[in-house]
Amino acid sequence: MSEYEVQGVGISKIAEEFGTPLYVYDGDEIERTYHALRAGLDKHVQMFYSLKPNPNVSIVSLLRRLGAGAEVCSLGEFKTALAAGVHPSRILFTGPGKSREELELLVAGDVRAIICESFTELGRIDALSRAAGKRTRVLMRVNPSFGVQGGRLTMAGRPRQFGVDEEQLLDAADLVRRHPNTEIIGIQVYTGTRILDADVVVANTGRIFDLADKAADALGITVTMVDIGGGIGLGYFPGETDPDEDVMVKGINEAVTAFRSRHPDAAVAMEPGRYLVARSGTFVTRVRDIKFSRGERFVITDGGTNAAMAAVGLGTAVKRNFPTQFLSDIDRPLAGPCHVTGPLLTPTDVIARNVTLPEVQPGELIGVHMYGAYGPTASIAYMNGQGFPAEVLAYKGRHHLIRKRDTAEDLLSRQIRVDFQDDAEPGALGARSS
Ligand SMILES: *Cc1c(COP(=O)(O)O)cnc(C)c1O
């Protein structure tokens, strides 16, 4: 019998020490992934880790140490990046509904650039900059007219709440003149997420550069940054393969070289999220009960969609199983199909459907792999009083607790109980008390 290990430590020991359900991240894997992508890329490409898939401060700090900046979209993410040690000059701030408080902080804080999502927002940034006696760097986010094939969630070529339509931007010749307190340094385009085909990533990059050419002409600006977004996918399901990194890097580099021959001052920003962290994570959940219902086996665990919602089809039309593994004994022979479910009171609390697993016993551990991305941010943590699970980062052989699990007291601590005058006289259950 051999159990699953994370950096030489058995999963039962990790689960014993930190409890379940649990996210375990392999920091060395994040490091390998980052370096492998970075090493091949043109030196004018700058990496801004998108916090959306995993905003844990230690994950951001690790990526910062590896050389990444941060792409954030809220005060919460912004302060996380700062707490992780990311310098404001290495932060891009995006998001379609920025508050006045956020914009004031960004103008004062000298971030690398604000990614501006509308003309009215540009007006606000300009006014705040004038009041602060500053010029603020801005990337205009563009909703391009080209559609994009190959992503699992397409962002381009449709009506969207993000950015300014390409047609509108190219028609706004007086934009720079009307906003003397902003410096429009270039454009940003985010074309979609979970793009698995390297050629699609490369083709999108080329189209974004073409658009930057047009924007430079139409607005009369000197482009010093083009942000080609994130969205690089990884294979999750049978039949899916990771994008070919060599093809992707070579294609991006060629496009960058060509673009920089026309815009020699331009840096290129990338905002990968999922690609950098997904593979590093395993969601670990402990079996509590086994039952058979109308002939089907249900393996009921202590963590379901309250922690592993991404497995239920975020950004995918069809529900398919994330790679699910019996961790307590990776050699135990497979027994047959089952559904792995959680503790919530909803029939949709299923993290793997008809997945083939060995015979398992209560107390044993099941893992869902590829869980470093979007599990922590896209799950329904508060359903049925569960709260956020613990997070552990294994790095260079040491296992660090990087988030304590929520306790019942934590859930209650933000709530305020109204003192009803008449609640001293309880009536029968279901009856009025007066
Ligand atoms: C979600 C998002 C990202 C990261 O996307 P991934 O698919 O995780 O790489 C980057 N930039 C913006 C603007 C986003 O909304």
Side-chain angles (χ1 to χ4, degrees):
M1 166 187 149
S2 53
E3 63 174 345
Y4 184 78
E5 293 181 354
V6 181
Q7 295 196 4
V9 179
I11 197 68
S12 57
K13 184 161 184 289
I14 297 171
E16 193 61 44
E17 183 169 352
F18 301 104
T20 52
L22 182 70
Y23 301 112
V24 183
Y25 310 119
D26 184 334
D28 295 34
E29 176 70 42
I30 294 175
E31 187 167 299
R32 276 192 296 279
T33 304
Y34 183 85
H35 285 324
L37 179 61
R38 176 68 271 185
L41 281 171
D42 188 296
K43 67 176 193 297
H44 298 100
V45 177
Q46 301 173 358
M47 208 81 88
F48 295 84
Y49 170 57
S50 174
L51 266 65
K52 187 170 51 177
N54 191 326
N56 185 285
V57 67
S58 288
I59 300 287
V60 182
S61 181
L62 173 60
L63 281 157
R64 190 253 319 147
R65 263 199 58 235
L66 300 177
E71 175 263 305
V72 302
C73 73
S74 66
L75 208 52
E77 287 187 354
F78 184 54
K79 293 203 169 174
T80 301
L82 294 178
V86 184
H87 194 270
S89 66
R90 299 169 73 99
I91 294 177
L92 298 172
F93 194 110
T94 188
K98 301 181 192 76
S99 69
R100 185 181 172 90
E101 182 190 7
E102 285 167 344
L103 287 175
E104 279 174 353
L105 204 69
L106 293 170
V107 166
D110 280 324
V111 292
R112 178 66 195 271
I114 301 176
I115 298 174
C116 177
E117 302 257 1
S118 73
F119 290 145
T120 45
E121 184 179 86
L122 188 64
R124 284 194 284 277
I125 295 170
D126 197 68
L128 289 170
S129 303
R130 185 175 56 234
K134 297 199 156 181
R135 265 188 106 211
T136 302
R137 286 175 299 276
V138 163
L139 283 165
M140 288 306 295
R141 180 166 182 176
V142 186
N143 179 20
S145 57
F146 58 82
V148 181
Q149 259 75 62
R152 294 304 177 271
L153 173 70
T154 307
M155 301 289 283
R158 305 226 180 118
R160 289 284 187 207
Q161 72 268 48
F162 302 108
V164 174
D165 287 356
E166 169 178 344
E167 303 83 334
Q168 293 177 27
L169 184 74
L170 297 182
D171 209 25
D174 60 346
L175 206 61
V176 169
R177 186 183 53 73
R178 293 203 339 251
H179 300 92
N181 303 289
T182 58
E183 183 192 355
I184 300 175
I185 63 172
I187 62 164
Q188 187 259 22
V189 180
Y190 178 75
T191 52
T193 193
R194 239 167 71 65
I195 301 170
L196 290 173
D197 185 341
D199 292 323
V200 172
V201 175
V202 172
N204 287 347
T205 303
R207 286 156 153 167
I208 294 167
F209 286 141
D210 290 346
L211 187 48
D213 275 335
K214 289 187 205 158
D217 284 347
L219 305 181
I221 57 171
T222 302
V223 174
T224 56
M225 180 176 268
V226 178
D227 184 341
I228 61 174
I232 306 167
L234 285 168
Y236 286 171
F237 308 119
E240 285 185 349
T241 48
D242 297 345
D244 184 325
E245 197 170 75
D246 292 338
V247 171
M248 191 166 66
V249 164
K250 184 166 169 289
I252 291 174
N253 286 349
E254 284 170 7
V256 169
T257 303
F259 184 73
R260 282 181 39 83
S261 71
R262 304 190 294 278
H263 304 270
D265 299 329
V268 175
M270 273 176 97
E271 308 170 349
R274 184 194 311 274
Y275 191 75
L276 296 180
V277 292
R279 207 198 320 267
S280 75
T282 301
F283 173 62
V284 182
T285 185
R286 196 184 286 279
V287 179
R288 283 189 172 157
D289 205 355
I290 319 284
K291 73 170 67 163
F292 288 84
S293 169
R294 309 237 147 86
E296 298 188 4
R297 176 166 64 135
F298 287 79
V299 175
I300 300 164
T301 70
D302 62 7
T305 46
N306 53 299
M309 191 81 181
V312 194
L314 181 82
T316 56
V318 192
K319 291 181 186 176
R320 286 175 291 179
N321 294 325
F322 272 49
T324 308
Q325 188 182 17
F326 177 60
L327 302 181
S328 294
D329 178 1
I330 56 179
D331 302 323
R332 193 180 293 174
L334 297 176
C338 64
H339 311 300
V340 182
T341 66
L344 307 183
L345 298 187
T346 160
T348 57
D349 188 26
V350 179
I351 55 176
R353 199 177 290 279
N354 275 322
V355 66
T356 303
L357 290 182
E359 293 296 343
V360 302
Q361 302 299 326
E364 294 183 319
L365 299 167
I366 289 175
V368 186
H369 298 298
M370 305 301 288
Y371 240 78
Y374 293 105
T377 53
S379 299
I380 47 174
Y382 291 115
M383 177 74 107
N384 284 137
Q386 293 294 326
F388 207 93
E391 295 179 289
V392 168
L393 174 64
Y395 188 60
K396 308 276 182 232
R398 291 187 53 201
H399 291 61
H400 309 267
L401 180 67
I402 58 171
R403 178 173 174 136
K404 299 182 208 166
R405 78 182 55 258
D406 284 350
T407 62
E409 289 70 30
D410 291 329
L411 301 189
L412 265 170
S413 69
R414 304 293 302 160
Q415 301 178 41
I416 298 159
R417 198 186 98 167
V418 173
D419 249 333
F420 296 108
Q421 294 305 314
D422 58 354
D423 66 359
E425 295 275 335
L429 276 177
R432 305 262 305 248
S433 61
S434 55

